[in-house]
Amino acid sequence: MTGSPAYYRLAVLGDPVEHSRSPQLHETMLEIAGLAGEYHRIRADDDVLRTAVDELRQGRWDGLNVTMPLKEAAARMADSLSPAAVKSGSVNTLVRSDSVIEGDSTDSLAFRDLLRSGRFADSTSVLILGAGGSAAAALASMEDASNVYVAARRTPPAEELTTRLGGEVVSWGTGVAGALVINTTPVGMSGEELPLGIVEVASGVIDLPYGPIMTPAVYTAERLSLPYCDGHEFLLRQAIASFRLWTGIETDYETVVAALRNT
């Protein structure tokens, strides 16, 4: 981003978006960094997103996040794409440099950091649940797509994803023994359970849905003493990456977690 505005105007666009914790996370990071600003939730379709992108280009916004179901549309509307966004075909962060809008995938950055952290070192394979933008970001973050499986409730999108980025399609509900399960679907957000036998045979879980209580997948992972990353942690990790793109400031994960506990 060119220049440092005295007051940051940021937002997340999607549908649904009312549940998003992004305003709390980014306003906490603004406070930690000593910056003034505000962060909004905007319920949006493609037309609303297109208007917001134009407003970002004009300087009325200083940065935008995009969530379901608009990540692919955001990739089409950006003037340029980061390497991660090119590979995934998905954008969750829009950044302005002068009047040029770049799309990036901090989902991919968060997945990459988690996979390199050593937390899931015992995983012999990966099972990605879903075939949308977040699934593409997960697959794009992997240096090697061998032993990677994709399952979605609709098979054609999963086949399209694996044709483009690698991996093998398996039927929805199929468990893969020893796999790191990456759930990019909404299943769990309202207490729904993944099909029996998915988490039970896994070696670890990255579960993107989040809500006021622990999702069933995370509960099962904890009960079985499996390493996991829940949706709250994942959201914060990708938010830290977005904040860095907008402000140039690196925010420490543990510092933000501690600040959130005190709010």
Side-chain angles (χ1 to χ4, degrees):
M1 181 173 178
T2 302
S4 298
Y7 192 88
Y8 283 86
R9 296 190 71 247
L10 311 168
V12 58
L13 295 92
D15 187 11
V17 77
E18 295 80 8
H19 70 286
S20 176
R21 293 183 64 233
S22 292
Q24 180 187 17
L25 302 184
H26 283 280
E27 288 175 0
T28 297
M29 287 188 283
L30 285 167
E31 184 176 353
I32 291 171
L35 301 174
E38 59 193 59
Y39 190 107
H40 298 268
R41 301 180 187 91
I42 300 174
R43 185 178 179 183
D45 57 13
D46 283 18
D47 290 338
V48 174
L49 174 62
R50 187 174 293 104
T51 297
V53 171
D54 289 341
E55 291 174 344
L56 175 62
R57 184 176 285 107
Q58 297 162 11
R60 295 174 62 183
W61 295 104
D62 298 299
L64 298 174
N65 281 139
V66 180
T67 188
M68 296 185 295
L70 299 174
K71 294 182 178 183
E72 289 85 356
R76 295 192 298 270
M77 293 178 194
D79 301 317
S80 64
L81 299 176
S82 71
V86 168
K87 190 172 182 182
S88 67
S90 170
V91 160
N92 77 328
T93 303
L94 294 165
V95 185
R96 183 183 73 252
S97 179
D98 294 325
S99 60
V100 176
I101 305 302
E102 180 175 81
D104 210 330
S105 173
T106 61
D107 285 343
S108 281
L109 299 179
F111 280 124
R112 183 200 64 192
D113 291 346
L114 284 167
L115 293 171
R116 292 178 178 177
S117 69
R119 190 189 307 186
F120 305 104
D122 292 337
S123 298
T124 57
S125 55
V126 177
L127 173 60
I128 298 173
L129 304 179
S134 295
L139 194 48
S141 72
M142 297 176 191
E143 297 174 356
D144 182 1
S146 61
N147 297 319
V148 176
Y149 304 91
V150 177
R153 283 166 288 193
R154 292 178 56 247
T155 300
E159 292 176 338
E160 180 181 349
L161 180 61
T162 56
T163 297
R164 184 162 57 88
L165 295 175
E168 178 181 339
V169 176
V170 296
S171 299
W172 179 256
T174 300
V176 177
L180 167 63
V181 172
I182 301 178
N183 177 28
T184 71
T185 77
V187 176
M189 186 176 292
S190 300
E192 311 94 332
E193 296 188 4
L194 292 171
L196 186 65
I198 298 291
V199 177
E200 288 79 3
V201 301
S203 60
V205 174
I206 299 175
D207 195 37
L208 268 58
Y210 64 88
I213 61 173
M214 186 181 292
T215 65
V218 170
Y219 175 81
T220 301
E222 188 167 83
R223 177 173 58 83
L224 297 175
S225 299
L226 301 178
Y228 67 83
C229 168
D230 66 14
H232 294 284
E233 177 184 346
F234 188 86
L235 177 67
L236 178 53
R237 290 192 179 279
Q238 66 85 11
I240 287 171
S242 294
F243 189 80
R244 181 178 65 247
L245 291 171
W246 294 329
T247 67
I249 296 173
E250 185 73 53
T251 311
D252 177 69
Y253 174 81
E254 297 299 338
T255 299
V256 181
V257 169
L260 290 168
R261 289 196 190 105
N262 294 325
T263 58

